Amino acid sequence: MPTRILIALVLLIAAPLLVLGWLSTSAIEAKDAAARESLQTIFEQRLSEPVVAVTRMLDEFQTTLLAAANQEGDRPSVLAMLRRSEPLARQTVWVDRQGRMLYPQRSDIASPQKESEIQLLQELIRGRPTHQSRNMDRSEAKTASPKLDPAKLLVESYWGVWYYEQGLQLVLWIPGDKGDTIGILLNRSAWMAELVANLPASGTTAGIIIDSNNSDSSDAISFGARTTLLDAEERRLYQWSISPALASSVATSDPIWHAVAALPLPAPLSGWKLRYETQQPLLSQGYHSLPIILALLGIGVMFLSLGIFLATSLQRQLRLAAQQVSFSTQVSHELRTPLTNIRLYTEMAESDIQSMPASSQTASIARRLQVIRMESQRLSRLCANVLALVQEPHSGPASKIRPCEPDACIDTCLEQFLPTLERLNFVIERSENARCDLAIDQHALETVVINLLSNIEKYAAEGKWLRIESHVESNELVIRIADHGPGIPRRQWKRIFLPFVRLQTGVNAPNGTGIGLSIASQATRHAGGALQIVPANRGTCIELRLPIEQES
């Protein structure tokens, strides 16, 4: 098989398969993305319930601490009482506008803890935000014990975060009316315990807190599906199972977890988040393409094999057809010589008989010789048609322009068919308006006229009428040949000039090869002319136009 045909075959098969594969994978990826987004939305809705619980917990912390800090009495006593009575409060501090610590004083801190507590408070004050209220002097601050509006406190107070010791620390800052600020440092263990208490427990196995300094602890329980509390550094602080059935299956080694959805906690824990994870991805990624690729490859191999088989078979048939054409060409060439000799000796015999005395015997021999001459002419035309047909469509005989008398050429062609036409009782009409020498392609003219008359003899015999017109029009020789036969439907006017096209193919159809009009059309094109069917009231009328070359 030629390389070009093989490449064309591969491209013809590969291009549609590649487009089909791309469309299929794109559709699957779009469907997976939509399903993944839908699942993510569902799990985010599940995670929103614990987030709401944490938000409620922080609001309760704020309300409780604000109420404790707004008790009647002098400020140092209130803050000291708050620290002793409230488990959430690890330390309280009161500073003025300049950042001077008003409470606690060194005398308020026990000696063993004095230095560490002072250092803790200094770090805490250093990270506090500035306040733009008016100043108050130190003496006024020591005795001040204003009772602030609780609604105003709730609006103006805010959470702060502070990284110290084991990690994130929560501080509630309460601005005062006179430029002072109260800070309440929460006990990390207390608020972490409350945080875990507000998160769901595992289905059948309780969730566990993982020490932040040992996030890879072997005590971690692996669930088939779990929700994990992560800090800002992606360390697991707590986890619980969503599904009780999955919680009962504890793995012997920590599997690979796949994040499905995540939701951040509210401020001041906005750096933390809840993440839903599964041991197996809910939607496989990158695996859909493999079956499609394998299926398309299989289809491609199948079509390629079928294409190679068909191409090979077609090539074999083309070689056989080429051999048949070559054989027909050789046989036609070989037949032309004996046919020429037969015609020559037939004409010589007819000439000899004409010189002999007339008798019934010589007349009989003359009629038989006439039949031999007619059939040899017919066979010669058939060989010429075969040779003209097997030539390359665009490499026919070169146009030979030479002076000739068109009407004389037409008469010569018509003489070959006169015996048969007279026997069929044809009425022949001639309109001769080209009785002068014109520079035209005589071969094309004779080929067209002979093939048209041959078709009339075969297919229009029932009309018994033939008309041949010739005239010159605008440097063109125009010849019309009409008959009263069954005619050619208009939809077949272009198709009838194709090789091997026959309108009558029944059992009673006349013998023919279907190549006469195609040979006439081919000869006309090589001569630079045009051959077409023109409208007629009855039968068929075919018009030939040949260009006339002007003498220089």
Side-chain angles (χ1 to χ4, degrees):
M1 179 184 298
T3 306
R4 291 183 300 173
I5 297 179
L6 182 60
I7 294 175
L9 186 62
V10 171
L11 291 177
L12 185 64
I13 295 174
L17 291 179
L18 288 176
V19 173
L20 179 61
W22 177 75
L23 292 176
S24 301
T25 53
S26 299
I28 292 175
E29 289 176 359
K31 184 178 179 180
D32 283 355
R36 195 174 295 109
E37 183 178 353
S38 177
L39 286 175
Q40 186 175 3
T41 302
I42 293 173
F43 288 115
E44 284 180 354
Q45 291 176 353
R46 289 186 178 182
L47 294 176
S48 64
E49 296 179 4
V51 172
V52 171
V54 173
T55 304
R56 189 183 304 113
M57 178 199 72
L58 293 173
D59 291 341
E60 291 175 356
F61 285 175
Q62 188 175 8
T63 302
T64 301
L65 295 175
L66 287 175
N70 200 29
Q71 297 294 325
E72 294 183 358
D74 63 286
R75 185 59 50 79
S77 300
V78 172
L79 294 179
M81 179 62 68
L82 188 152
R83 180 183 177 186
R84 290 192 300 269
S85 61
E86 180 56 56
L88 281 173
R90 173 181 174 179
Q91 183 60 274
T92 58
V93 65
W94 182 28
V95 297
D96 62 7
R97 179 183 177 85
Q98 285 75 25
R100 295 172 296 182
M101 186 166 59
L102 304 177
Y103 175 85
Q105 299 295 323
R106 287 182 177 272
S107 58
D108 298 327
I109 303 174
S111 296
Q113 302 175 346
K114 183 176 294 186
E115 294 303 325
S116 61
E117 288 295 327
I118 290 297
Q119 183 181 0
L120 170 65
L121 294 173
Q122 288 175 349
E123 292 289 339
L124 178 61
I125 294 171
R126 191 177 295 116
R128 78 178 182 90
T130 59
H131 193 266
Q132 300 298 328
S133 299
R134 68 177 181 85
N135 291 327
M136 66 176 178
D137 57 34
R138 197 174 184 84
S139 60
E140 181 184 1
K142 289 182 178 180
T143 59
S145 57
K147 185 174 178 60
L148 302 178
D149 183 9
K152 183 178 180 181
L153 285 177
L154 188 60
V155 173
E156 294 186 354
S157 61
Y158 55 90
W159 289 103
V161 294
W162 181 40
Y163 288 90
Y164 185 76
E165 293 178 349
Q166 64 266 59
L168 178 69
Q169 307 289 336
L170 298 183
V171 184
L172 180 63
W173 295 100
I174 307 172
D177 288 339
K178 298 180 179 181
D180 58 328
T181 305
I182 297 174
I184 304 175
L185 175 63
L186 272 63
N187 189 331
R188 179 180 171 88
S189 300
W191 66 260
M192 280 288 292
E194 288 292 332
L195 175 62
V196 171
N198 279 274
L199 295 177
S202 299
T204 57
T205 304
I208 60 173
I209 296 180
I210 302 174
D211 185 74
S212 59
N213 295 323
N214 187 17
S215 59
D216 295 329
S217 172
S218 60
D219 294 334
I221 298 178
S222 300
F223 299 109
R226 69 184 183 185
T227 302
T228 307
L229 174 63
L230 303 173
D231 63 7
E233 298 179 358
E234 295 287 330
R235 293 178 298 185
R236 287 179 292 166
L237 304 177
Y238 178 78
Q239 66 184 29
W240 73 92
S241 170
I242 293 293
S243 172
L246 292 175
S248 61
S249 175
V250 179
T252 58
S253 60
D254 194 19
I256 298 176
W257 292 93
H258 301 272
V260 178
L263 205 62
L265 293 180
L269 301 176
S270 54
W272 294 14
K273 60 185 174 184
L274 295 176
R275 187 167 68 191
Y276 184 81
E277 302 172 336
T278 58
Q279 291 184 2
Q280 299 293 333
L282 296 183
L283 289 176
S284 59
Q285 301 179 4
Y287 297 102
H288 292 293
S289 302
L290 184 59
I292 294 176
I293 292 174
L294 293 177
L296 292 178
L297 284 176
I299 295 174
V301 170
M302 180 182 68
F303 278 114
L304 183 61
S305 303
L306 180 61
I308 292 175
F309 172 75
L310 294 177
T312 305
S313 301
L314 180 61
Q315 190 176 14
R316 185 164 51 248
Q317 293 177 1
L318 289 176
R319 285 198 300 267
L320 180 60
Q323 293 173 358
Q324 293 174 348
V325 169
S326 176
F327 173 76
S328 301
T329 304
Q330 294 176 2
V331 169
S332 298
H333 274 292
E334 294 295 329
L335 288 177
R336 294 184 70 175
T337 300
L339 285 174
T340 303
N341 292 332
I342 292 174
R343 291 179 59 185
L344 176 62
Y345 283 98
T346 300
E347 291 174 358
M348 292 174 61
E350 288 179 337
S351 178
D352 292 340
I353 290 176
Q354 289 178 0
S355 61
M356 295 173 61
S359 65
S360 60
Q361 198 172 26
T362 57
S364 175
I365 294 174
R367 285 196 299 273
R368 292 173 182 173
L369 289 175
Q370 185 180 18
V371 172
I372 293 174
R373 178 170 57 82
M374 291 173 55
E375 292 301 322
S376 63
Q377 290 177 348
R378 178 181 175 187
L379 189 55
S380 297
R381 290 195 300 269
L382 182 59
C383 291
N385 287 342
V386 171
L387 290 175
L389 183 66
V390 297
Q391 291 175 347
E392 293 292 331
H394 302 289
S395 61
S399 178
K400 296 180 180 180
I401 307 298
R402 59 175 179 268
C404 71
E405 184 179 329
D407 285 338
C409 293
I410 294 173
D411 291 340
T412 301
C413 296
L414 184 59
E415 286 179 1
Q416 301 180 26
F417 296 89
L418 278 178
T420 304
L421 296 177
E422 291 175 353
R423 180 170 52 84
L424 295 174
N425 298 321
F426 260 77
V427 176
I428 301 174
E429 298 181 2
R430 290 278 283 115
S431 176
E432 302 179 2
N433 297 306
R435 282 290 180 185
C436 57
D437 288 343
L438 300 176
I440 60 173
D441 189 335
Q442 182 178 351
H443 171 75
L445 172 62
E446 293 176 349
T447 300
V448 172
V449 172
I450 288 175
N451 279 284
L452 293 181
L453 292 177
S454 177
N455 282 348
I456 292 175
E457 175 191 354
K458 295 176 185 176
Y459 305 110
E462 62 183 27
K464 302 183 182 302
W465 182 83
L466 168 65
R467 179 177 176 82
I468 303 176
E469 301 178 5
S470 59
H471 65 276
V472 177
E473 179 182 311
S474 300
N475 295 325
E476 284 185 332
L477 172 65
V478 180
I479 297 175
R480 290 191 179 96
I481 300 179
D483 63 68
H484 284 172
I488 300 174
R490 181 177 289 270
R491 64 179 182 275
Q492 302 285 355
W493 280 9
K494 292 183 178 180
R495 181 172 172 268
I496 197 65
F497 292 102
L498 299 176
F500 308 109
V501 173
R502 299 184 63 203
L503 300 184
Q504 300 179 18
T505 57
V507 177
N508 298 325
N511 295 328
T513 58
I515 62 175
L517 288 179
S518 63
I519 293 172
S521 178
Q522 180 176 319
T524 305
R525 286 197 305 271
H526 290 157
L531 184 68
Q532 61 183 354
I533 301 178
V534 296
N537 294 329
R538 180 181 176 185
T540 303
C541 180
I542 298 181
E543 179 184 81
L544 168 66
R545 287 179 176 267
L546 290 177
I548 300 173
E549 186 172 310
Q550 301 296 326
E551 296 182 1
S552 57

